[in-house]
Amino acid sequence: MGDDGSSHMGYQHSGEIMLNSTSSSMNARSMTLNSVYGSGSGSGSGSGWDPMVSLSQSGNFGASSMGSHGELTKSSSFPNLIENQGINNSHLVNYPSDPNLAQMLPKLPMFGGRNFPDIANHFGLPGAGVSHTPHALFPQIYGSSKSGLDEKRGCQISDPRAVGVSPNGKRKRDPESLSPTDENTEGDLQKDHLSDASGQKEQDDKKLKNDQNAVTTSSSKQTGKQVKENSQGDDVNKQNYIHVRARRGQATNSHSLAERVRREKISERMRLLQELVPGCNKITGKAVMLDEIINYVQSLQQQVEFLSMKLATVNPELNFDIERLLSKDILSSRGSGLSVLGFDQGMGSSHAFTQGIHQSLTAMPNSASQYHHMSQAVWDGDLQSLLQMGFDSNSNVGGLGPNGSSKSEL
Amino acid sequence: MSLNLKSLRTRFALRFIRALKKIHHQEKSFNKRYYKVKVAADASMAAAVGPRRAWSRALLSRARLGWRCRAQSRRESVECWRRKRMHGHGHARAAEGQGQGQAQAQELRSLVPGGEAMDLQNLLDETAHYIKCLTTQVNVMRGIVNCCSTS
């Protein structure tokens, strides 16, 4: 009984904390909560919902002994939880410290539903109140979002709203939105409310930012990226300009702003090119990157020339088109993986080709800065070998065979 | 076997193979064939891409000119490009404002067809698309060579 009494006091205190949640700071809240629940274990944010899991998994809470209380099972489940003495504060020790707990608290009235005074009363009842409300309520959240992270995000999104803009409005909306509900649909409605709340919160955040943008002048308070996101959202609200804000410590001259935008666009395109050109991940600097690009384009053009020379020698068969394309599709799916290094391996027989695939695949991890040197050497070698075959007539088609086999030895 | 008939690769491959057949029928000397195959590769690639890219447009006009009167039109087109280049350079240099990659940018302009009169931003765009199409071209041609040589 003594335990009940102390826990009762504790929960009442927490109820008051919840009542004051909007006014007090989050830190103060979490501090008091920690003191009530006997300091959280300091677990990371990732484990914020673990207590919920353990709570949800821990036994059933029986039938409602005080079913006459409250309109809903949710509110009536609070008294259920009172009975179960097995669950005590020890579960709550695992509550993480600062933000999550503070965020969970504003959530509780939302899910606890209708009447905030009811919740306070429930919390005031002897026995375990709070520990069971999560069980009752948060499995709903679990159902709505797959990962704890999502819930956290939802909580975090709800937080500025609860603290900042219009917490009263939100709390008022809760009973309104949830009042015409059944027991069965309450979970769905809560889910919807979650998504609605989060969506509205995002909108409100955007509106907040918009207002701030409108109010503040073009000084260097915000970062360019933030502004650009807002400007993209602003496009609907405001005119179709691209609002660019000067970053901190930079000139606000219109010329330099435009210059900076242009430079950023160019660097963005350079990044795209970096992905296209193999082996340029670690290169920083425009000049070196441009050199690499130039080399790569030159080598590609040389490959095209080389291959067109080969094609000029090879006499294509008459019934060429579709079956060629079909078979080539098989090969090209393999062939497109080959880098520049492997182009010489494509000569000759398919045996040489598959060999070439293996060789080029093993060669690919090598630094690609060598690739154009290698291709140059092989290019010369191929040219010489081709020329050596006495290559001025059509009769050299068969010459590719032995040439191919000799090439595969490279 | 699913063949994406509208992909760049298929469009290029069809055109190029048709051109190859024609060339092999027509020309018997190796040098002429080599040259024509080269032009056909570029032209079919540009035609597959279409006129929506500056480099493909330049290639197409170059190919068209090349078929008829090579030398004279090349001189003319080079003159025209040079004039554009003078005009474009002033604009490009003023816009760039940085001397970092000037020489390389110039070289890139000479590599990418039609890149003479472009500012750096568009040039980089065109280069990216050009590289993509070049790799497609190389893969398709290599596939054709393998098919021809294996059978």
Side-chain angles (χ1 to χ4, degrees):
Chain A
M1 299 303 286
D3 275 349
D4 287 344
S6 59
S7 58
H8 162 69
M9 291 305 296
Y11 292 131
Q12 220 172 18
H13 185 44
S14 69
E16 287 169 11
I17 290 174
M18 284 168 56
L19 280 170
N20 299 328
S21 63
T22 57
S23 51
S24 63
S25 69
M26 281 162 57
N27 285 338
R29 250 183 294 160
S30 56
M31 289 287 288
T32 51
L33 284 167
N34 283 336
S35 64
V36 167
Y37 296 128
S39 78
S41 57
S43 51
S45 60
S47 62
W49 295 104
D50 291 345
M52 301 309 147
V53 177
S54 65
L55 284 174
S56 63
Q57 288 168 356
S58 64
N60 26 341
F61 296 100
S64 61
S65 63
M66 300 167 70
S68 58
H69 214 341
E71 321 74 83
L72 310 158
T73 46
K74 289 306 161 255
S75 49
S76 63
S77 64
F78 295 164
N80 299 342
L81 314 173
I82 300 164
E83 283 188 298
N84 202 333
Q85 305 289 333
I87 298 178
N88 45 12
N89 285 349
S90 62
H91 285 276
L92 300 169
V93 174
N94 292 331
Y95 270 95
S97 42
D98 306 343
N100 299 322
L101 190 49
Q103 291 158 10
M104 277 190 278
L105 280 193
K107 271 296 202 198
L108 282 177
M110 200 175 80
F111 294 123
R114 327 311 142 95
N115 302 317
F116 196 61
D118 285 346
I119 296 169
N121 290 338
H122 292 310
F123 280 130
L125 288 170
V130 177
S131 63
H132 297 288
T133 52
H135 165 72
L137 304 171
F138 287 116
Q140 307 281 332
I141 309 178
Y142 267 116
S144 63
S145 66
K146 297 302 171 189
S147 65
L149 276 177
D150 290 337
E151 301 167 18
K152 204 149 294 126
R153 234 174 275 135
C155 280
Q156 285 169 357
I157 293 175
S158 69
D159 231 357
R161 190 141 177 183
V163 175
V165 182
S166 56
N168 294 329
K170 178 167 187 278
R171 294 246 173 87
K172 279 177 200 162
R173 202 179 302 142
D174 295 338
E176 288 170 7
S177 63
L178 293 180
S179 46
T181 59
D182 286 334
E183 303 174 358
N184 302 326
T185 59
E186 189 181 25
D188 297 335
L189 269 180
Q190 282 182 358
K191 290 180 204 175
D192 293 339
H193 187 69
L194 235 192
S195 56
D196 283 344
S198 57
Q200 278 166 0
K201 263 179 208 132
E202 288 168 7
Q203 288 174 15
D204 282 348
D205 285 343
K206 265 192 183 170
K207 280 181 194 164
L208 262 183
K209 285 184 183 172
N210 296 348
D211 294 336
Q212 289 174 10
N213 286 346
V215 167
T216 61
T217 56
S218 68
S219 62
S220 53
K221 293 301 179 187
Q222 294 183 8
T223 65
K225 280 183 191 170
Q226 212 183 37
V227 171
K228 273 181 188 161
E229 285 174 7
N230 291 339
S231 66
Q232 285 168 10
D234 275 350
D235 279 342
V236 183
N237 302 336
K238 302 186 180 173
Q239 303 146 2
N240 289 332
Y241 299 158
I242 294 182
H243 293 279
V244 179
R245 195 72 46 84
R247 286 196 209 127
R248 203 185 162 113
Q250 290 196 354
T252 56
N253 196 7
S254 64
H255 290 299
S256 50
L257 276 181
E259 180 75 19
R260 194 157 48 82
V261 166
R262 206 189 51 85
R263 255 183 277 141
E264 282 173 8
K265 283 189 190 168
I266 286 180
S267 57
E268 189 185 320
R269 278 162 178 78
M270 294 283 287
R271 259 178 276 137
L272 288 174
L273 277 171
Q274 246 186 349
E275 290 164 21
L276 278 180
V277 181
C280 286
N281 300 326
K282 299 172 188 167
I283 294 182
T284 54
K286 234 163 69 166
V288 186
M289 192 60 219
L290 281 175
D291 274 335
E292 285 294 320
I293 293 171
I294 287 171
N295 285 332
Y296 190 58
V297 170
Q298 275 174 343
S299 70
L300 282 177
Q301 286 175 342
Q302 282 172 2
Q303 279 187 70
V304 168
E305 282 190 17
F306 178 61
L307 286 169
S308 63
M309 181 184 351
K310 269 203 272 188
L311 280 174
T313 69
V314 173
N315 199 2
E317 297 172 0
L318 292 181
N319 47 349
F320 207 50
D321 268 331
I322 298 299
E323 37 174 279
R324 283 305 169 194
L325 281 181
L326 287 178
S327 57
K328 203 161 43 64
D329 241 346
I330 307 174
L331 288 177
S332 62
S333 59
R334 272 186 281 160
S336 55
L338 289 177
S339 66
V340 174
L341 279 169
F343 79 98
D344 61 306
Q345 308 289 344
M347 295 176 56
S349 61
S350 59
H351 172 68
F353 183 74
T354 51
Q355 220 180 18
I357 292 175
H358 292 305
Q359 289 182 18
S360 59
L361 281 177
T362 52
M364 270 171 77
N366 297 342
S367 66
S369 59
Q370 306 167 358
Y371 68 78
H372 47 278
H373 301 304
M374 262 192 70
S375 66
Q376 287 285 349
V378 176
W379 166 259
D380 294 337
D382 279 333
L383 270 180
Q384 286 170 10
S385 60
L386 279 174
L387 290 172
Q388 279 165 12
M389 286 179 347
F391 189 78
D392 51 349
S393 65
N394 300 338
S395 61
N396 284 325
V397 174
L400 280 175
N403 190 30
S405 57
S406 68
K407 277 297 166 197
S408 64
E409 290 167 358
L410 268 177
Chain B
M1 199 62 51
S2 64
L3 198 66
N4 186 6
L5 286 173
K6 288 303 171 189
S7 78
L8 178 71
R9 197 173 61 185
T10 338
R11 295 201 307 264
F12 165 70
L14 277 170
R15 285 174 200 263
F16 184 56
I17 290 175
R18 254 181 255 144
L20 262 188
K21 279 196 197 174
K22 206 172 81 167
I23 291 171
H24 272 276
H25 274 295
Q26 284 180 354
E27 300 285 342
K28 294 304 172 186
S29 96
F30 168 71
N31 288 330
K32 279 194 185 166
R33 259 200 287 179
Y34 170 45
Y35 174 74
K36 283 202 174 170
V37 167
K38 232 186 356 172
V39 172
D42 287 338
S44 46
M45 194 70 218
V49 166
R52 59 176 182 253
R53 281 280 167 181
W55 68 266
S56 62
R57 288 195 293 270
L59 265 185
L60 282 171
S61 61
R62 202 189 288 178
R64 258 180 240 128
L65 293 172
W67 282 120
R68 303 301 164 190
C69 38
R70 246 189 291 165
Q72 183 201 8
S73 48
R74 197 188 296 160
R75 256 180 269 126
E76 281 176 356
S77 45
V78 165
E79 291 277 348
C80 176
W81 288 334
R82 223 175 260 149
R83 255 178 265 124
K84 266 197 240 168
R85 199 206 320 182
M86 299 307 289
H87 175 71
H89 263 200
H91 175 68
R93 234 180 251 137
E96 193 172 325
Q98 290 174 356
Q100 279 186 14
Q102 283 287 8
Q104 285 97 338
Q106 199 42 45
E107 210 177 330
L108 195 56
R109 282 194 180 90
S110 65
L111 279 181
V112 176
E116 311 284 331
M118 276 192 231
D119 57 333
L120 190 58
Q121 194 176 312
N122 292 333
L123 179 67
L124 292 179
D125 268 342
E126 294 290 319
T127 309
H129 194 256
Y130 187 54
I131 287 178
K132 257 199 295 188
C133 295
L134 272 182
T135 46
T136 323
Q137 200 176 11
V138 165
N139 289 330
V140 167
M141 290 173 74
R142 201 183 299 156
I144 297 178
V145 167
N146 292 332
C147 286
C148 284
S149 50
T150 52
S151 57

